[in-house]
Amino acid sequence: GLLLFSNHPEDHFAIPMAMVARIERIKASEIKVVGGQNILVYRGASLPILRLEQNISALYPETEEQNLFVIIFKIQDREIGLV
């Protein structure tokens, strides 16, 4: 199956569910910028966070949301989040 999501009402994306470890809801204020990298302190560790619009040709969200959903992937033995 696929996980369908959007970053903007006119942008739609899909990710194979097999790649998704879990989805978490966080507050936007929990994401910090450290050395130019978005980081979420999560479960006692620093989780690197990618934002679609900063990494691919995606539209920016229309409004800055207070609450965000983070799709967490496990790649090799590390986790990474996608807002």
Side-chain angles (χ1 to χ4, degrees):
L2 295 173
L3 172 66
L4 303 174
F5 64 98
S6 64
N7 197 45
H8 181 279
E10 296 177 25
D11 258 350
H12 302 282
F13 302 92
I15 298 173
M17 285 297 295
M19 295 180 66
V20 177
R22 65 191 167 281
I23 301 171
E24 300 283 347
R25 186 174 176 176
I26 65 163
K27 294 192 179 309
S29 60
E30 293 179 81
I31 297 175
K32 307 295 181 204
V33 178
V34 178
Q37 168 72 49
N38 291 308
I39 298 290
L40 171 67
V41 176
Y42 175 77
R43 295 184 177 186
S46 296
L47 178 69
I49 297 290
L50 298 175
R51 297 185 79 102
L52 278 175
E53 70 276 5
Q54 293 175 352
N55 291 280
I56 66 169
S57 181
L59 296 172
Y60 280 80
E62 288 185 327
T63 60
E64 261 316 299
E65 296 292 327
Q66 298 286 330
N67 295 304
L68 302 171
F69 288 97
V70 178
I71 302 167
I72 300 176
F73 301 90
K74 190 156 190 148
I75 301 173
Q76 295 177 353
D77 286 326
R78 300 188 62 218
E79 290 186 333
I80 190 163
L82 177 65
V83 174

